Structure formats: structure tokens, C-alpha cells
Amino acid sequence: MAFHYVRAQRDQVLLLPVCMADWLEEGHLAWFVIDAVGRLDTRALHARHRNDGAGRPAYDPDMMLALLPYAYANGMRSSRRMEAACRTDAAFRVISAGLVPDHATFARFVVDHEAAMEGLFVSGLRLCAAAGLLDLSTVAIDGTKMGASASLRANHSIEWIREAVGALMAATVASEEAEAASPGAACDPMSAAGIRGAAARLARLEAAQALIEAEDAAAAEAMAARDEAATREAEAGRRLRGRKPTGAQAVLARAEADLAAARARAETRAARRAEAEAAAAAAGRRLRGFAPGPDRRLAQATQALAAARQAAAAASPAPRRRASVTDADSRIMKTRRGYLQGYNAQAAVDANQIAVAQMVSQDANDVALLAPMLKLLEDSITAGAISDALRKILADAGYWSDDNARLEGDLLIATLKDWKQRKAAREAGTTTGEPPEDASTLEAMEHRLRTAEGAAAYAKRSSTVEPVFGNHKANRNFPGFRRRGLSAVRAEWSFMNLSHNMGKLFDHWTPGSLSPA
């Protein structure tokens, strides 16, 4: 039986002051974060503080900023957990130098410096470039659906929202009347909190109401423009071009326009026939050819209108437009697992999985976001003073359109889903050289994707950008945003990608190796 142990002497008085540098090993992530933040351009953070001696001193923004990426790297975004960690976690205590900012201080810091997050992201990109991590030979662009801090069940119609606004306003008026009737009565200690909650809820309801009204006005304007175009085409005897509508009322309007166009065309043909017959009679001869029969297009348009009217009468009312009363900027997004209330978060990632550009959109479809992402990519490279040349840009089939394929740059955009693209390539075989001169935009892109160089380049897409999204969602447990509003989630997404880039930089860091950004 052993009698000697290395015992924990908790009552031992230390003869020398404690040095925090002894708490963590030299290569710890906390030391890297302190080193990296010290080289970021944080002038925008300091500009908010007067530092003239008036009022209570603020916490050093560099110290507050260093706490955030370390917390994000450990999958922590809760301000209360950060406050608790500053009391108990050695790494947090080293970064904060023993200070314990309140959870409200963390929350206010994030809100107050929302506009500076994009600049910090670019500053972090400069650090990665200075460390030689950027490789723009291949950049992959993709998007992922991020959940909002709102529920799908919080989407309501304009009628529901107006009723809720009216109820809140009535409750406020009743409260003011009751207070005026008995001014000497004791105040409810919870009344201030109730008023703040009611005001915030009213603001959210009014934002959702304004959104629905704006979307209704835009839809009415678009419908009026389509009706005007249909009228012009019908007067000229031409049918409307483009994709046919799907809604019952829209199909009815299209059928009415088609019938008007068919009638105008039939009347024009009949008038020409009458003029030809009159000219032949004046010349004392008979008009050659068979007499025209019933106009088949007019008959078809008449039948189509009758069917459209019958379908419109039997159709159920169109679904009412809805908006989230929790986060009016968020949208309903479709994912492989169903629907979620959220945003479309985009990122452009280089060959070393460094996020070079990022944005958040309310558009659930990626096709309209390629041009803005290319512009942001160019802006990030310029703002970051990055000398590396941008070569090949990869995007999946969600970005495919003829217009996107014509954008500037060496673009490889899949025309089909990845597995379908690989199957089509196997069936069609490989190609060489440039696309044929008479090839369409689609055919030219498919030709480039089937070349040996194009196939090898596009094969890198999924392993370049999708691990970044997996790191956010799975490794760090960030399935969605914590804040509400488009500007807030854009700042949060910028900081997520900044912390991701800092994690990549940490893998190549040695103490004292960073140069100023």
C-alpha cells in the first residue's frame, strides 16, 4: 500500500504573485488570439469611445474583441456563458486579464460595433495573406441556409398583424387612462418591463406589416405592368411570350389577353380578305383560293378562356402573404430537411478554405447572387491589398443561368446537380479544346466542364467550400443566427467567417510570427 502522494495543497500560501503567463502553454489558442487581435485594424472600435476622462471608463475594445473569437472558436456565442467563463476558465481569464465584463457588456459590444465587422473581416484576410495562406487559383462560391432567431409559426397574415397591433394599442390606451384616473396609486414594479416588452413587440409587428404591404404593392405594380404589356400585345394581335403563369387568376388574365390577341388577329385577317375580295370584284374577276373557314386560333383561345374561368371559379383562394412577426427580415427557406425560417448565407472560399468574401441574403435562390458575390470578391481582394491573381471560379448548378455564364472571369458553373453532372459527363464523354463557335451558352459551359482540365477543377468545388459550412454548423454548433434583422445577421456572419479564418491561421502560427495587417 502506497503512503506517499503528490497532494493538492489548497491552503498553501503563495510566496510570490501569480503570473498568468504560467497558466497556459506557449502555443495555446488564447495567446494566438491576443497576438492576432493586436495586429488587426481596430480603429473603428476605438472611435466610439471619447477617452477624455469623462464618465466611467469602457473596457478595452481590443480585449473585448479578443474574447469573442476565442469564444466562437469554442462554440460559444452566449454572452452569459462568456461572462461565466471569464470567472472560471483560465484561458478567458488570461485574455481578459482577470476582468469580468457583464453579459450585457458583451451584448452591447456586439450591437454597438456591428458596422465594424466587415472591416475586421477584411483586416483578418490581410493577416492570412501576409502569412501566405491565400491561394486564389481556385475559388468556390456556395450558399447555405442559416436559421433565424424566429419560428416558422411566427409567420402571420396582414389581417392577424393588424388585429394584434390594434389590441396592443388598445391595451396601451387603457393603461394610460387607468393611470390618469388614479395618479396616486402604487406603481406596478413590473410595469416598466411590460411597457418595454410591448413597445418592442409593437415595433416588430409594424415592421412585419410594412413588409407585407410593400410586397403587396410590388406585386400589384408587377401585375399592372404585365396587364399593360398584355394589352399592348393584344392590340397588335400578338400573343404574350414567356413562361405561362400557374395561379388560377393569373391563368385567367393570360387567357383573356390571348383571346383579345386572337380576335384582333382574326379581325385583321378578315379585313384583308374583304379588301382583296372588293378589289377582285372591281376588276371583274373572282378571288382565287378557298374561302377561309373558322379561325382555329380564335376557337382555341375561346375554349382556353372558358376553361380558365371554370378553373378560377373552382380554385381555392390564393394563400395570403405572410411575414414573421419575430424577425421580419427573415424568409421561409427550403432545405433538404424541410423548411426553416432563416437567411441564405453565401461565402467565397479559396483553395486553402479561407473565406475570401461573404454575404447574407433574403433570396432563397442562389442564381441572382452570383454577380453580387463576384463583386464582393473583387472588393475584398482590393481592400485586402491581395496581389495573388484570381483565376478559376467554381459554382454549383444553383447559380446556373445564361446571364451568369456570360459574367466576366474564368467561371465554371455546373448545369446540373453534381451527381447528374458526373453521369452526363460519363455518357457524353470527354472533350478537348475550346467550345465550337456555334455552341449555345449552355453547350459551351458543358463542353468546358467535360474537358480534363474543367472536370479536374470542378471536382475541387465541394471539398473547398462545403467544409467551411460544416465547420460552422457541426464543429462549432452554429446552425443559425442569434440576432435578428438583416444588418445584424450580416455582421454575425462576417464575424463567424473571421473566426473561421483565424482558426486556419492558428494552424500555421508560431509565437511572434504574425505581421501587422
Side-chain angles (χ1 to χ4, degrees), residues 301-443:
T302 303
Q303 293 176 356
L305 178 59
R309 285 174 174 169
Q310 184 177 0
S316 58
R320 296 174 180 175
R321 202 179 303 275
R322 294 170 174 263
S324 173
V325 298
T326 307
D327 184 357
D329 288 343
S330 63
R331 297 291 184 270
I332 297 177
M333 301 278 175
K334 185 178 181 180
T335 69
R336 288 180 294 179
R337 298 182 178 180
Y339 292 88
L340 62 78
Q341 190 76 26
Y343 296 89
N344 189 351
Q346 299 278 314
V349 181
D350 78 344
N352 291 329
Q353 296 182 356
I354 301 294
V356 186
Q358 43 75 35
M359 68 173 290
V360 176
S361 173
Q362 299 166 302
D363 194 343
N365 200 326
D366 289 338
V367 69
L369 303 179
L370 182 59
M373 279 300 297
L374 292 177
K375 179 65 168 58
L376 285 172
L377 179 60
E378 181 181 349
D379 293 345
S380 293
I381 293 174
T382 302
I386 300 169
S387 58
D388 194 7
L390 180 61
R391 300 173 194 170
K392 200 172 292 295
I393 301 171
L394 312 176
D396 64 12
Y399 296 92
W400 168 255
S401 72
D402 284 353
D403 292 337
N404 284 346
R406 297 189 186 100
L407 294 173
E408 293 184 5
D410 189 0
L411 286 167
L412 278 181
I413 309 175
T415 58
L416 299 168
K417 290 185 177 293
D418 284 1
W419 68 271
K420 292 182 180 180
Q421 193 80 42
R422 292 191 294 269
K423 180 181 178 182
R426 288 194 300 268
E427 293 174 351
T430 59
T431 58
T432 58
E434 294 296 322
E437 294 183 0
D438 59 345
S440 66
T441 307
L442 176 65
E443 293 169 343

Side-chain angles (χ1 to χ4, degrees), residues 160-174 202 205:
W160 188 96
I161 294 172
R162 286 172 178 164
E163 183 179 348
V165 169
L168 271 178
M169 296 295 290
T172 303
V173 171
L202 180 61
L205 289 171

Side-chain angles (χ1 to χ4, degrees), residues 128-143:
C128 294
L133 290 184
L134 281 185
D135 180 3
L136 301 183
S137 60
T138 300
V139 172
I141 297 176
D142 203 357

Side-chain angles (χ1 to χ4, degrees), residues 13-372:
V13 177
L14 299 177
L15 301 179
L16 296 174
V18 176
C19 179
M20 288 187 175
D22 297 334
W23 292 2
L24 304 173
E25 62 272 16
E26 187 179 12
H28 196 275
L29 176 62
W31 297 121
F32 163 77
V33 169
I34 296 171
D35 193 10
V37 169
R39 285 157 175 77
L40 294 178
D41 185 0
T42 58
R43 288 176 293 180
L45 306 183
H46 293 273
R48 288 188 58 88
H49 303 285
R50 292 161 48 183
N51 287 327
D52 57 1
R56 179 181 175 181
Y59 287 105
D60 182 5
D62 288 356
M63 182 269 289
M64 294 293 297
L65 178 62
L67 288 169
L68 291 175
Y70 184 80
Y72 272 55
N74 287 277
M76 186 186 304
R77 286 185 295 174
S78 167
S79 58
R80 293 183 182 274
R81 289 184 61 193
M82 292 182 197
E83 177 189 353
C86 287
R87 301 180 189 276
T88 60
D89 189 286
F92 276 89
R93 293 190 66 190
V94 167
I95 296 174
S96 66
L99 300 174
V100 184
D102 185 75
H103 64 274
T105 303
F106 282 108
R108 283 196 301 267
F109 180 83
V110 172
V111 173
D112 291 345
H113 300 291
E114 178 180 295
M117 291 303 166
E118 179 63 30
L120 290 173
F121 171 78
V122 174
S123 184
L125 199 60
R126 290 198 195 102
L127 277 181
C128 294
L133 290 184
L134 281 185
D135 180 3
L136 301 183
S137 60
T138 300
V139 172
I141 297 176
D142 203 357
T144 185
K145 305 301 189 294
M146 297 286 287
S149 181
S151 170
L152 279 170
R153 292 176 292 179
N155 287 278
H156 295 287
S157 64
I158 187 69
E159 293 79 11
W160 188 96
I161 294 172
R162 286 172 178 164
E163 183 179 348
V165 169
L168 271 178
M169 296 295 290
T172 303
V173 171
S175 175
E176 292 176 350
E177 290 177 350
E179 184 178 352
S182 55
C187 294
D188 182 1
M190 297 300 293
S191 60
I195 291 172
R196 286 196 299 270
R201 178 169 172 78
L202 180 61
R204 293 196 299 269
L205 289 171
E206 290 176 342
Q209 179 179 345
L211 172 65
I212 294 178
E213 291 173 348
E215 290 181 347
D216 286 342
E221 185 178 351
M223 179 66 73
R226 287 196 298 268
D227 291 345
E228 184 179 353
T231 302
R232 289 197 304 268
E233 295 294 308
E235 291 174 352
R238 296 189 297 267
R239 296 180 64 184
L240 282 177
R241 297 180 180 180
R243 183 178 298 177
K244 292 185 178 180
T246 55
Q249 294 301 322
V251 170
L252 177 60
R254 181 68 172 267
E256 291 173 347
D258 289 345
L259 179 59
R263 281 176 177 168
R265 187 168 51 251
E267 292 172 357
T268 301
R269 293 178 62 185
R272 290 176 181 172
R273 176 75 184 185
E275 290 178 359
E277 289 177 347
R285 58 183 177 81
R286 185 178 179 183
L287 192 64
R288 295 181 179 181
F290 294 100
D295 193 305
R296 288 182 297 174
R297 290 187 177 180
L298 180 59
Q300 291 172 355
T302 303
Q303 293 176 356
L305 178 59
R309 285 174 174 169
Q310 184 177 0
S316 58
R320 296 174 180 175
R321 202 179 303 275
R322 294 170 174 263
S324 173
V325 298
T326 307
D327 184 357
D329 288 343
S330 63
R331 297 291 184 270
I332 297 177
M333 301 278 175
K334 185 178 181 180
T335 69
R336 288 180 294 179
R337 298 182 178 180
Y339 292 88
L340 62 78
Q341 190 76 26
Y343 296 89
N344 189 351
Q346 299 278 314
V349 181
D350 78 344
N352 291 329
Q353 296 182 356
I354 301 294
V356 186
Q358 43 75 35
M359 68 173 290
V360 176
S361 173
Q362 299 166 302
D363 194 343
N365 200 326
D366 289 338
V367 69
L369 303 179
L370 182 59

